[in-house]
Amino acid sequence: MAYETILVETRGKVGLVTLNRPKALNALNSVVMEEVVAALQAFEADEAIGAIVLTGSEKAFAAGADIKEMQEKSYIDMYMADFFAGWDAMTRIRKPIIAAVSGYALGGGCELAMMCDFIIAGDNAKFGQPEITLGVMPGMGGSQRLTRFVGKSKAMDMCLTGRMMDAAEAERSGLVSRVVPAADVVEEAVKAAEKIAGLSLPAVMMNKEAVNRAYETTLTEGLRFERRVFHAMFALDDQKEGMAAFSEKRPATFRNR
Ligand code: HXC
C-alpha cells in the first residue's frame, strides 16, 4: 500500500513505521493518523512480524497534532468527528510497539510515543505537552498517560507550564526506558524489537497484556489476572520448548504456539 505521510519497511521480523512529514516536523494530521493505524494493523495481521518500531526524523519524532488543521474547527466539528479518537485503534494492537524518539516529541507527539509500549529516546529528545500555550490541553491522552508515567507533580508542571523535558529528565522520571546516542536510536529500537521478535509471540503478547492491565485495575485484580495468564501459558508449546532448552543448555526455538 502506498502511503503519503509515513514510510513503512520490514527489517527481518521487525516492522518499522517512520513518520514522514519533514516540512511540518511530522505534525499529526488526520492522514497521518489513518496511515499509522493502517500500517500497524497490517503488521499486526502479518505472521512474519513479531514486533514494531515507530519513529520520526532526527529533528522531530512529532511536533504535535497539526495546529493548522485544528485551528478553525468549532466545538461541534471536534465533537461530531470525535477528534483524535481514531488513535485509540493503536492501543488495540497486541504486538509490541517501541517508540524510537529523536528530537521533539511535543503535544500529540509525546502522547503518540506514550501510546507505544515503551520509549527509547535519543539523547537529543525533548518531550512536552505545550498545549496550554495554545490555549488548550492535551487531547490524545497526555493528561492521563503522562501522569501515570511520571506522577502528578511533574505531569502538572509539564501540562501547566508547557515546558519541555530533556532525555535525561525523561529517563530519570520513568517516561523513557533507555537513552542512547541520537544517531543510534532507530538501530537500538530495532535491535530491541528483534530481540522481542525472536521470542515466543504468544508469550510476548500475554506479557504486554498483563503489564497493560496494571494501568487499568486494582493490584488484587491485576495479580489475579497475572496468575491466570501465567497458569495458561503452560498450555503453550513454547513454554515446553523454552524450559527444555534451558535444561538442555541450548538456545530455544520458539514456534509461536
Ligand atoms: C503544524 C507545525 C507544528 C504543529 C511545527 N510545525 N509544529 N505545523 N502543527 N504542531 C511546522 C511549522 O509551522 C513550520 O512550518 C515547520 O513545521 C517547522 O517548524 P518551526 O517552528 O519553523 O521549527 P523550529 O523553529 O525548529 O521550532 C520547532 C518547534 C516548533 C519548537 C517544535 O515548531 C513548535 O513549537 N511547534 C509546535 C509545538 C506544539 O505546540 N505542539 C502541540 C500541538 S497541539 P512553516 O510552514 O512555517 O515552515 C497537540 C495536542 C492537541 O499536539 C490537543 C488540543 C486539541
Side-chain angles (χ1 to χ4, degrees), residues 29-251:
N29 62 15
S30 308
V31 180
V32 179
M33 179 178 77
E34 280 160 24
E35 293 190 343
V36 168
V37 166
L40 294 176
Q41 287 172 340
F43 282 140
E44 175 90 333
D46 183 345
E47 280 182 19
I49 295 297
I52 302 163
V53 172
L54 176 61
T55 194
S57 69
E58 185 150 350
K59 179 166 181 191
F61 177 74
D66 191 319
I67 298 167
K68 293 163 192 170
E69 184 185 58
M70 288 183 291
Q71 195 171 350
E72 298 302 332
K73 289 197 187 295
S74 65
Y75 168 72
I76 199 67
D77 295 336
M78 298 298 267
Y79 180 80
M80 293 310 283
D82 204 2
F83 210 79
F84 292 148
W87 287 109
D88 293 349
M90 197 174 147
T91 64
R92 291 190 289 275
I93 300 292
R94 298 165 78 206
K95 287 177 184 171
I97 308 173
I98 304 173
V101 174
S102 184
Y104 296 111
L106 302 179
C110 184
E111 295 168 295
L112 180 61
M114 291 190 291
M115 274 185 237
C116 297
D117 295 309
F118 62 96
I119 303 172
I120 296 183
D123 52 15
N124 67 340
K126 291 212 178 290
F127 297 88
Q129 298 291 164
E131 290 89 342
I132 187 70
T133 66
L134 301 168
V136 289
M137 63 180 284
M140 277 168 60
S143 66
Q144 306 303 300
R145 288 200 180 89
L146 186 65
T147 308
R148 283 164 162 83
F149 274 99
V150 305
K152 178 179 170 183
S153 190
K154 271 192 194 284
M156 279 289 191
D157 180 356
M158 308 275 292
C159 290
L160 297 185
T161 70
R163 82 167 171 90
M164 294 184 207
M165 203 186 246
D166 66 16
E169 184 180 4
E171 186 180 30
R172 208 162 62 232
S173 312
L175 177 57
V176 311
S177 70
R178 321 178 192 176
V179 177
V180 300
D184 302 338
V185 70
V186 174
E187 194 188 317
E188 288 295 326
V190 168
K191 230 191 275 173
E194 274 168 353
K195 163 85 188 168
I196 295 168
L199 303 171
S200 162
L201 182 60
V204 163
M205 287 164 57
M206 288 179 205
N207 271 271
K208 167 168 170 164
E209 200 180 345
V211 173
N212 279 334
R213 187 58 71 97
Y215 277 93
E216 302 284 355
T217 193
T218 63
L219 180 59
T220 304
E221 284 307 316
L223 291 171
R224 205 192 304 273
F225 179 80
E226 180 191 78
R227 197 167 308 127
R228 285 289 167 267
V229 177
F230 174 68
H231 292 163
M233 284 173 145
F234 286 75
L236 293 176
D237 291 350
D238 286 344
Q239 173 269 326
K240 297 290 174 287
E241 166 61 11
M243 293 193 178
F246 175 83
S247 301
E248 293 159 19
K249 300 187 190 301
R250 61 170 174 84

